[in-house]
Amino acid sequence: MIKIYHNPRCSKSREAVQLLEAEELAFEIVDYLKQPPTVDELKDLIKMLDIAPIELVRVKETIWKENYQGKDLSSEEIIAALHAHPRLIERPIVVRENQAIIGRPPVLIKNIL
Protein backbone atom coordinates (compact mmCIF):
# COMPACT_ATOMS: atom_id res chain seq x y z
CA MET A 1 0.00 0.00 0.00
CA ILE A 2 1.18 3.49 -0.84
CA LYS A 3 0.99 6.16 1.83
CA ILE A 4 1.25 9.91 1.32
CA TYR A 5 1.98 12.34 4.14
CA HIS A 6 -0.17 15.18 2.92
CA ASN A 7 -0.96 18.77 3.79
CA PRO A 8 -4.14 19.75 1.91
CA ARG A 9 -3.15 23.43 2.02
CA CYS A 10 0.11 22.76 0.13
CA SER A 11 -0.07 22.99 -3.67
CA LYS A 12 2.78 20.48 -4.15
CA SER A 13 1.06 18.05 -1.84
CA ARG A 14 -2.23 18.41 -3.73
CA GLU A 15 -0.35 17.85 -7.01
CA ALA A 16 1.14 14.66 -5.56
CA VAL A 17 -2.32 13.36 -4.65
CA GLN A 18 -3.53 14.15 -8.18
CA LEU A 19 -0.55 12.30 -9.62
CA LEU A 20 -1.34 9.20 -7.55
CA GLU A 21 -5.01 9.40 -8.56
CA ALA A 22 -4.03 9.70 -12.22
CA GLU A 23 -1.92 6.54 -11.88
CA GLU A 24 -5.04 4.82 -10.49
CA LEU A 25 -3.11 3.44 -7.55
CA ALA A 26 -4.61 2.65 -4.17
CA PHE A 27 -3.13 4.90 -1.51
CA GLU A 28 -3.70 6.12 2.00
CA ILE A 29 -3.64 9.82 2.82
CA VAL A 30 -2.14 10.83 6.16
CA ASP A 31 -2.95 14.41 7.08
CA TYR A 32 0.18 14.72 9.18
CA LEU A 33 -0.91 18.03 10.71
CA LYS A 34 -3.94 16.30 12.25
CA GLN A 35 -2.18 12.94 12.80
CA PRO A 36 1.48 13.79 13.46
CA PRO A 37 3.93 10.95 12.96
CA THR A 38 5.40 9.49 16.13
CA VAL A 39 9.10 9.85 16.84
CA ASP A 40 9.59 6.24 15.70
CA GLU A 41 7.63 6.87 12.49
CA LEU A 42 9.78 9.93 11.80
CA LYS A 43 12.93 7.87 12.33
CA ASP A 44 11.60 5.24 9.92
CA LEU A 45 10.78 7.90 7.32
CA ILE A 46 14.24 9.44 7.63
CA LYS A 47 15.82 6.01 7.21
CA MET A 48 13.68 5.19 4.16
CA LEU A 49 14.45 8.59 2.66
CA ASP A 50 18.15 8.02 3.37
CA ILE A 51 18.61 11.58 4.59
CA ALA A 52 19.81 13.38 7.70
CA PRO A 53 16.99 14.60 9.97
CA ILE A 54 17.73 18.25 9.13
CA GLU A 55 16.92 17.48 5.47
CA LEU A 56 13.31 16.77 6.47
CA VAL A 57 12.94 20.21 8.07
CA ARG A 58 11.28 23.15 6.36
CA VAL A 59 13.93 25.59 7.59
CA LYS A 60 12.09 28.65 6.23
CA GLU A 61 9.11 28.09 8.53
CA THR A 62 8.68 30.71 11.25
CA ILE A 63 8.57 28.03 13.96
CA TRP A 64 12.05 26.86 12.93
CA LYS A 65 13.49 30.36 12.63
CA GLU A 66 12.16 31.49 16.00
CA ASN A 67 12.93 28.36 18.02
CA TYR A 68 15.70 26.30 16.43
CA GLN A 69 17.67 28.14 13.76
CA GLY A 70 21.33 28.62 14.61
CA LYS A 71 21.28 26.11 17.46
CA ASP A 72 23.55 23.07 17.47
CA LEU A 73 20.86 20.39 17.58
CA SER A 74 21.40 16.65 17.68
CA SER A 75 19.49 14.36 15.32
CA GLU A 76 17.26 13.36 18.25
CA GLU A 77 16.47 17.01 19.00
CA ILE A 78 15.61 17.70 15.37
CA ILE A 79 13.30 14.68 15.28
CA ALA A 80 11.67 15.84 18.52
CA ALA A 81 11.10 19.27 16.94
CA LEU A 82 9.50 17.64 13.89
CA HIS A 83 7.24 15.63 16.15
CA ALA A 84 6.30 18.63 18.29
CA HIS A 85 5.75 20.88 15.26
CA PRO A 86 4.63 18.73 12.29
CA ARG A 87 4.30 21.87 10.17
CA LEU A 88 8.12 21.69 9.95
CA ILE A 89 8.02 18.39 8.04
CA GLU A 90 8.92 18.68 4.38
CA ARG A 91 6.06 17.60 2.15
CA PRO A 92 4.69 15.64 0.47
CA ILE A 93 6.28 12.34 1.44
CA VAL A 94 5.22 9.22 -0.41
CA VAL A 95 6.00 5.78 1.00
CA ARG A 96 5.82 2.52 -0.87
CA GLU A 97 6.96 -0.63 0.90
CA ASN A 98 10.43 0.24 2.28
CA GLN A 99 11.00 3.22 0.00
CA ALA A 100 10.08 6.84 0.49
CA ILE A 101 10.54 10.03 -1.46
CA ILE A 102 9.87 13.70 -0.89
CA GLY A 103 7.72 14.80 -3.79
CA ARG A 104 9.29 18.16 -4.52
CA PRO A 105 8.63 18.42 -7.36
CA PRO A 106 5.74 15.93 -7.35
CA VAL A 107 6.97 14.22 -10.52
CA LEU A 108 9.74 12.64 -8.39
CA ILE A 109 7.08 10.38 -6.89
CA LYS A 110 7.05 8.37 -10.11
CA ASN A 111 10.50 7.08 -9.16
CA ILE A 112 8.99 4.74 -6.56
CA LEU A 113 5.71 3.81 -8.25
Side-chain angles (χ1 to χ4, degrees):
M1 170 65 86
I2 297 169
K3 184 184 289 190
I4 180 169
Y5 289 85
H6 174 62
N7 177 347
R9 297 189 67 195
C10 171
S11 64
K12 298 297 181 200
S13 196
R14 290 192 307 268
E15 285 178 42
V17 168
Q18 290 172 346
L19 188 146
L20 292 171
E21 289 172 341
E23 295 286 331
E24 298 183 0
L25 298 167
F27 62 96
E28 172 189 357
I29 294 177
V30 177
D31 184 338
Y32 66 91
L33 295 178
K34 292 180 180 175
Q35 300 171 308
T38 66
V39 168
D40 286 339
E41 288 171 328
L42 287 166
K43 288 178 181 180
D44 288 344
L45 283 172
I46 290 164
K47 184 177 180 179
M48 284 187 278
L49 289 163
D50 194 27
I51 60 174
I54 190 66
E55 294 176 78
L56 193 57
V57 176
R58 296 175 56 84
V59 295
K60 294 182 181 178
E61 287 285 336
T62 303
I63 295 167
W64 182 261
K65 289 179 183 178
E66 291 178 354
N67 299 292
Y68 304 103
Q69 187 172 338
K71 294 182 179 179
D72 186 22
L73 302 172
S74 69
S75 292
E76 293 295 324
E77 290 170 320
I78 293 168
I79 293 168
L82 290 167
H83 175 67
H85 306 284
R87 186 170 306 282
L88 293 175
I89 299 171
E90 189 60 75
R91 61 189 180 253
I93 302 169
V94 175
V95 178
R96 184 175 191 183
E97 297 171 10
N98 291 328
Q99 298 178 345
I101 195 160
I102 297 173
R104 295 187 82 73
V107 71
L108 292 177
I109 294 167
K110 290 188 175 190
N111 293 335
I112 65 168
L113 298 182

